Amino acid sequence: MIQAKAFAAQTPESDLAPWNFERRDVGNHDVQFDIQYCGVCHSDLHQIRNEWFPGIFPMVPGHEIVGKVSKVGAHVKKYKVGDLVGVGCLVDSCRTCDNCKDGLEQYCTNGHSQTYNGTEQDHKTPTYGGYSNTIVVHEDFVLKISEKLNLAAVAPLLCAGITTYSPLKYWKVGKGHKLAVVGLGGLGHMAVKFGVSFGAEVTVLSTSASKEADAKALGAHHFVVTKDEAQFKAQMGTFDFILDTVSAKHDINDYLGLLKTNGVMICVGVPSEPSPIAAFSIIGGRKSLAGSSIGGLPETQEMLDYCAEHNIVSDIEIIDMKDIMPSYERMIKGDVKYRFVIDMATL
């Protein structure tokens, strides 16, 4: 076994603190890499606090993981020592269901293995995430990262990036479309970057008037303060697509009214409480309310390659590992532009 160190939550009530544990030895098809940076996702906080479902403790969060390969198994063909690589939200899946065969491992019908707060495919061995110094993953779930990009700023692409890239690609959002992005946080700022890059006319919908300058700097064409009733009502029936990135409680019915006929609202944020949906909100105008998760491994690699070609990365603030709990508090308040990334050299 490989000795590893991390920051972990021992219970849903405890703060993250140093913890030593063991990773599996490198198997024939495994890649081990030293973690250099790990992004901080809102879901990290949701999960250590059991806000979505009962967790597996001790819990080592982190699923936006980048670093340099330190060891490869005897049969590994895709990577070599020294390569820059990443791991996102998945570390394995059944590989045999129709979704897995189609490169949609995120929708594995037999249960994929989350990078943390999950189990390996034996459905017994807990998985531990990227708030640690090293990780061992099957080569099929490791992603290649271009040396062209700032490595720290690439880390959030592995969750915030692919979570917004995937639905925009699936619904073919691009030139001629009006896209609204609800929320300008870790997910929202990436949605703006991708939407603009794909050629859509992008409007940011935010409760915070103070974010207008930032939205425009990111490339958004328009900005609407949702608390301003006149501004909000002026957008009724305007958008082809709405990408809802907000993880706090809000009324989805209000936003459905902003869609054109046949418009689609796609939820990628995950509030801790379910939202009531009125049938009349979607019947009028034949509107669709949809959801989307991360992408599968092929699409995530496609996204990373697209970002390298178009010089797209996340806007980040680098923090020390010891500052993770205060950073969570700032994240809840929206006091980050737009993703915290942990420098794992400070572990």
Side-chain angles (χ1 to χ4, degrees), residues 12-320:
E13 295 76 32
S14 64
D15 288 346
L16 293 167
W19 183 58
N20 294 326
F21 68 109
E22 293 181 330
R23 298 277 192 193
R24 70 170 183 267
D25 287 327
V26 177
N28 285 334
H29 296 280
D30 286 337
V31 172
Q32 180 184 6
F33 67 93
D34 297 328
I35 301 173
Q36 293 176 272
Y37 299 99
C38 184
V40 178
C41 180
H42 205 131
S43 62
D44 297 344
L45 180 57
H46 283 305
Q47 293 191 72
I48 68 167
R49 294 295 183 239
N50 271 0
E51 291 177 349
W52 289 345
F53 46 79
I56 301 170
F57 292 88
M59 188 187 302
V60 177
H63 55 206
E64 300 176 345
I65 310 167
V66 295
K68 187 172 289 187
V69 175
S70 57
K71 187 175 182 179
V72 298
H75 298 163
V76 169
K77 297 179 180 179
K78 300 178 183 179
Y79 303 99
K80 64 183 185 303
V81 172
D83 285 349
L84 292 180
V85 295
V87 166
C89 301
L90 306 178
V91 290
D92 210 345
S93 69
C94 79
R95 326 270 189 117
T96 59
C97 72
D98 289 344
N99 285 343
C100 284
K101 289 178 180 178
D102 287 340
L104 299 171
E105 297 91 349
Q106 75 274 34
Y107 303 125
C108 174
T109 56
N110 293 314
H112 59 243
S113 296
Q114 295 185 159
T115 302
Y116 73 89
N117 195 23
T119 61
E120 301 285 358
Q121 284 300 291
D122 61 8
H123 303 293
K124 295 178 182 178
T125 306
T127 55
Y128 300 114
Y131 291 14
S132 55
N133 65 323
T134 189
I135 193 167
V136 178
V137 180
H138 191 288
E139 66 171 325
D140 289 348
F141 285 77
V142 176
L143 298 148
K144 190 175 293 293
I145 294 175
S146 171
E147 295 184 357
K148 297 178 182 178
L149 300 176
N150 177 336
L151 185 61
V154 167
L157 296 179
L158 296 167
C159 176
I162 189 58
T163 297
T164 50
Y165 180 94
S166 184
L168 295 178
K169 292 292 286 188
Y170 178 80
W171 274 278
K172 298 180 173 61
V173 178
K175 292 181 180 178
H177 291 141
K178 291 187 175 181
L179 167 68
V181 176
V182 184
L184 192 66
L187 292 173
H189 93 288
M190 290 307 309
V192 171
K193 290 189 179 191
F194 286 133
V196 170
S197 182
F198 296 164
E201 182 180 329
V202 178
T203 299
V204 170
L205 307 177
S206 175
T207 59
S208 304
S210 61
K211 290 188 176 182
E212 181 171 5
D214 286 348
K216 297 291 182 63
L218 288 166
H221 303 95
H222 312 286
F223 186 88
V224 173
V225 180
T226 56
K227 289 182 177 179
D228 186 318
E229 187 174 353
Q231 283 192 44
F232 194 79
K233 285 187 174 180
Q235 306 303 314
M236 291 293 174
T238 297
F239 302 108
D240 300 290
F241 298 96
I242 297 174
L243 192 63
D244 183 357
T245 72
V246 175
S247 59
K249 184 178 180 181
H250 59 294
D251 191 344
I252 288 176
N253 297 282
D254 290 342
Y255 292 94
L256 287 166
L258 306 184
L259 288 171
K260 292 179 179 179
T261 300
N262 297 320
V264 182
M265 181 170 176
I266 309 152
C267 297
V268 294
V270 186
S272 55
E273 298 179 29
S275 301
I277 307 296
F280 284 117
S281 296
I282 53 179
I283 288 173
R286 196 164 59 194
K287 298 166 184 175
S288 298
L289 178 62
S292 179
S293 183
I294 56 171
L297 272 296
E299 187 175 50
T300 306
Q301 188 63 62
E302 172 190 302
M303 180 267 308
L304 288 169
D305 295 342
Y306 182 91
C307 288
E309 181 181 353
H310 296 272
N311 194 30
I312 295 173
V313 290
S314 298
D315 288 14
I316 64 169
E317 179 180 333
I318 296 178
I319 61 169
D320 289 355

